[in-house]
């Protein structure tokens, strides 16, 4: 959210929007001047790729009232769960709520649902239309109400819930619970609530049901038959994942075991060395500022020494894994390493002359939110260096193990960075010589014979490691002359407008 300091606040209310042009202005007017409209409350409206005038109507309504709200725009429609996730991961509140755009649960009950979280009584507060004390003055159409009851019965039969109402559109979380539950959310449609509550139960979080007054509002976006079947399909997916044991562990992104392997390998392994050396080469080429640099997604800290050699007067390493940060501090006592997420960096606005973000974007559920945050901490003329894995066709179990959400093309990455307000100086593929091997492994029967991914096959003997490092050095020399048109990874260098700009290839 450009222009806003990332200091914490007491509350955040996230409202997902999809084709809400007919009613979002009314919602904004209701919120403005209500009991929720206070300096300590943050409002985030998330447009889920609407193809109508939702954003324009919301902007006009906000301009007409004193409600301080931010609008997060998603490039494409992800589904309600995807939109809520984007808003939650951008939130600053110590208590984070989401509510439907029609405010079917009114302001008074939204305020009341914050209470269990703010008192420390619960980690999750879930509004309910089906427990004692709830009131429904305006009911849903009979078919939709029936489909809701059948869906709940199906959830109970699958062993996915003990609650009578998982789908009421208001839930409140403590900050830690929200970030832990939403960071790796896999269901982005209407059934995302089911996954959230199931994972909260598996993690032993305290969930409190709160009775509310709920009113059906016309122009609902839920289609009983089509969306009901999609929700049932997602519920079955959740049940199958549960049976496979994949939801029993807390969502932590990259596992501690992965970082332990990285700590042993990334300082000498040819793959990591090549990426680090190429980054240093391109930062020298860009003529980076020498005041302050941030290594976002620093992992176990192998890049810090290389960045210090470039002459930065200040340097900080940031990673969401406390385990990785601990390993980095053990290996490098000269650099401050702190725990923090790329979507909400613990840095002041405009504080960094250079931001290095190597193999991070693919880990974030919404890379647009992350790029906005990188732009916030970069001052005028600051340099941004990004590396990401290339080509969705190259997706493998290795991506799943590392917690990736996507792979990129150079064109797609450039478009995302420009949309975040940067000017691209240089964009090139690298690890180009691995593309034929990766294609054979991913797209031909050869992969079955190897019984593993290309990444796993790359952990080689010391002699082969030295040879492959020499190959990457040759590639780096080629990249000095011109960008490469293909490769298994992408490097992009961009600049925040406001300083002198030197165009690259």
């Amino acid at each position: 959210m450009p222009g806003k300091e990332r200091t914490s606040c007491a509350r955040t209310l996230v409202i997902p929007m999809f084709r809400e042009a007919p009613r979002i202005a009314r919602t904004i007017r209701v919120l403005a001047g209500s009991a929720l409209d206070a300096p300590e409350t943050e409002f985030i409206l998330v447009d889920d790729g609407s193809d109508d005038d939702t954003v324009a109507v919301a902007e006009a309504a906000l301009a007409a009232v004193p409600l301080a709200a931010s609008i997060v725009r998603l490039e494409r429609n992800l589904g309600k769960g995807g939109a809520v996730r984007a808003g939650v991961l951008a939130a600053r509140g110590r208590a984070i709520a989401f509510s439907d755009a029609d405010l079917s649960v009114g302001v008074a009950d939204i305020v009341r649902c914050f209470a269990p979280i703010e008192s420390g009584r619960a980690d999750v507060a879930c509004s309910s239309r089906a427990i004692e004390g709830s009131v429904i003055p305006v009911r849903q159409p009979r078919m939709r109400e029936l489909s809701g009851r059948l869906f709940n019965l199906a959830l109970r039969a699958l062993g996915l819930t003990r609650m009578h109402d998982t789908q009421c559109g208001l839930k409140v979380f403590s900050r830690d619970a929200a970030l832990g539950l939403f960071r790796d959310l896999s269901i982005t449609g209407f059934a995302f609530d089911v996954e959230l509550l199931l994972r909260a139960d598996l993690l032993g979080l305290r969930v409190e049901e709160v009775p509310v007054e709920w009113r059906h509002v016309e122009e609902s976006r839920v289609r009983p038959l089509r969306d009901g079947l999609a929700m049932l399909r997602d519920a079955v997916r959740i049940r199958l994942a549960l049976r496979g044991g994949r939801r029993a562990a807390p969502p932590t992104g990259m596992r501690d075991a992965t970082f332990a392997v990285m700590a042993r390998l990334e300082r000498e392994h040819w793959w990591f060395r090549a990426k680090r050396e190429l980054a240093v080469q391109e930062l020298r080429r860009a003529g980076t500022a020498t005041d302050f640099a941030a290594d976002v997604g620093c992992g176990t800290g192998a890049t810090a020494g290389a960045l210090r050699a470039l002459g930065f007067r200040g340097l900080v390493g940031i990673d969401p894994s406390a385990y990785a940060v601990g390993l980095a501090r053990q290996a490098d006592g000269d650099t401050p390493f702190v725990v923090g997420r790329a979507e909400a960096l613990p840095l002041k606005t405009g504080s960094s002359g250079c931001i290095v973000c190597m193999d991070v974007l693919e880990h974030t559920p919404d890379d647009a939110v992350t790029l906005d945050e990188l732009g916030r901490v970069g001052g005028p003329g600051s340099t941004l260096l990004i590396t990401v894995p290339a080509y969705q066709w190259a997706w493998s179990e290795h991506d799943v193990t590392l917690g990736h959400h996507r792979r990129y093309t150079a064109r797609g990455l450039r478009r995302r960075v420009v949309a975040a307000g940067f000017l691209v100086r240089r964009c090139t593929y690298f690890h180009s010589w691995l593309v034929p091997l990766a294609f054979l492994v991913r797209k031909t029967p050869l992969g079955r014979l190897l019984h593993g991914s290309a990444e796993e096959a790359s952990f080689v003997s010391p002699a082969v490691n030295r040879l492959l490092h020499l190959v990457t050095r040759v590639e780096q020399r080629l990249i000095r002359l011109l960008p490469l048109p293909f490769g298994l990874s992408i490097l992009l260098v961009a600049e925040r407008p406001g300083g002198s700009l030197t165009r690259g290839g």
Side-chain angles (χ1 to χ4, degrees), residues 2 367-368 370-372 375 414-422 496:
D367 53 8
T370 301
L371 286 167
D372 283 346
R414 181 188 289 266
R415 184 174 64 249
R416 285 172 165 83
V417 171
V418 169
F422 289 91
R496 197 69 174 164

Side-chain angles (χ1 to χ4, degrees), residues 351-372:
S351 62
S352 301
C354 179
I355 306 163
V356 177
C357 190
M358 297 172 67
D359 289 357
V360 171
L361 282 187
E362 66 272 16
H363 292 274
T364 61
D366 186 350
D367 53 8
V369 172
T370 301
L371 286 167
D372 283 346

Side-chain angles (χ1 to χ4, degrees), residues 456-468:
E456 291 164 341
S458 70
F459 290 87
V460 293
S461 68
V464 175
N465 189 63
R466 288 193 295 270
L467 175 62
L468 295 179

Side-chain angles (χ1 to χ4, degrees), residues 116-438:
I117 307 303
E118 293 173 335
S119 68
R121 191 169 70 239
D123 303 300
V124 181
C126 181
S127 65
S128 177
R129 299 162 291 188
I131 62 175
E132 185 178 355
S134 61
V135 180
I136 307 179
V138 181
R139 307 193 74 89
Q140 304 174 79
R142 184 173 299 177
M143 179 58 71
R144 186 172 167 185
E145 189 168 316
L146 176 63
S147 68
R149 290 179 178 176
L150 292 174
F151 180 66
N152 187 265
L153 288 174
L155 294 181
R156 288 169 168 274
L158 290 168
L160 295 177
T161 189
R162 297 185 297 271
M163 300 173 61
H164 289 87
D165 186 5
T166 61
Q167 303 309 114
C168 194
L170 167 66
K171 293 177 179 64
V172 189
F173 308 80
S174 69
R175 181 172 185 81
D176 288 344
L179 298 182
L181 293 172
F182 276 93
R183 187 176 290 124
D184 293 328
L185 185 71
S186 64
I187 302 298
T188 59
F190 286 112
F192 78 103
D193 306 72
V194 178
E195 182 182 353
L196 286 175
L197 294 173
L198 176 63
R199 294 173 71 183
D201 185 51
L202 292 172
L203 291 172
L205 299 181
R206 297 165 299 167
V207 179
E208 180 173 323
E209 293 185 80
V210 181
V212 295
E213 181 176 302
W214 186 90
R215 296 174 181 269
H216 173 68
V217 179
E218 293 298 330
E219 301 178 4
S220 169
R221 299 290 171 260
V222 178
R223 298 154 296 187
L225 181 59
R226 180 174 176 180
D227 291 328
L229 290 174
M231 291 166 66
L232 184 59
R233 176 203 64 202
D234 286 342
V236 172
R237 284 177 54 196
I238 296 169
R239 182 66 186 89
L240 292 174
L242 175 65
R243 185 166 60 187
R246 294 196 294 272
R247 290 294 177 207
T252 57
M254 289 178 62
R255 299 183 181 93
D256 289 349
T258 303
F259 284 116
V261 173
M262 285 179 61
R264 295 196 306 269
L265 293 173
E266 67 174 340
R267 285 161 177 81
E268 294 299 328
H269 191 276
W270 64 271
W271 177 281
F272 295 105
R273 287 183 66 186
K275 180 175 64 175
R276 189 162 59 245
E277 291 169 357
L278 180 60
V280 169
Q281 171 183 296
E282 294 304 309
L283 287 175
R284 283 201 181 102
R285 177 191 184 103
T288 54
T290 58
D291 50 353
F292 184 83
D295 183 8
V296 177
C298 64
T300 62
T303 304
L307 292 176
R308 278 201 309 273
L310 289 172
F312 295 106
R313 290 195 295 271
L315 174 65
V316 63
I318 304 167
D319 198 274
S321 168
Y323 183 78
V325 166
L327 293 174
R329 289 169 178 166
Q330 292 176 22
D332 182 351
D334 296 325
T335 301
F337 294 98
V338 299
V339 177
R341 298 179 300 110
E343 302 96 328
L345 293 169
L347 300 173
K348 293 181 179 180
T349 297
S351 62
S352 301
C354 179
I355 306 163
V356 177
C357 190
M358 297 172 67
D359 289 357
V360 171
L361 282 187
E362 66 272 16
H363 292 274
T364 61
D366 186 350
D367 53 8
V369 172
T370 301
L371 286 167
D372 283 346
E373 176 68 347
L374 297 177
R376 180 188 68 81
V377 302
S382 62
T383 298
L384 171 67
L385 183 141
I386 294 173
T387 64
V388 293
Y391 306 131
Q392 198 64 32
W393 60 256
W395 185 271
S396 72
E397 285 300 314
H398 193 71
D399 294 276
V400 177
T401 299
L402 294 179
H404 293 176
H405 288 267
R406 70 196 71 82
R407 284 175 167 257
Y408 293 82
T409 63
R411 181 179 180 182
L413 178 62
R414 181 188 289 266
R415 184 174 64 249
R416 285 172 165 83
V417 171
V418 169
F422 289 91
L423 298 171
V424 175
R425 305 174 89 177
R426 186 164 171 79
C427 186
T428 179
Y429 288 94
F430 64 103
H431 291 322
S432 57
W433 53 280
L434 284 172
V435 169
L437 175 60

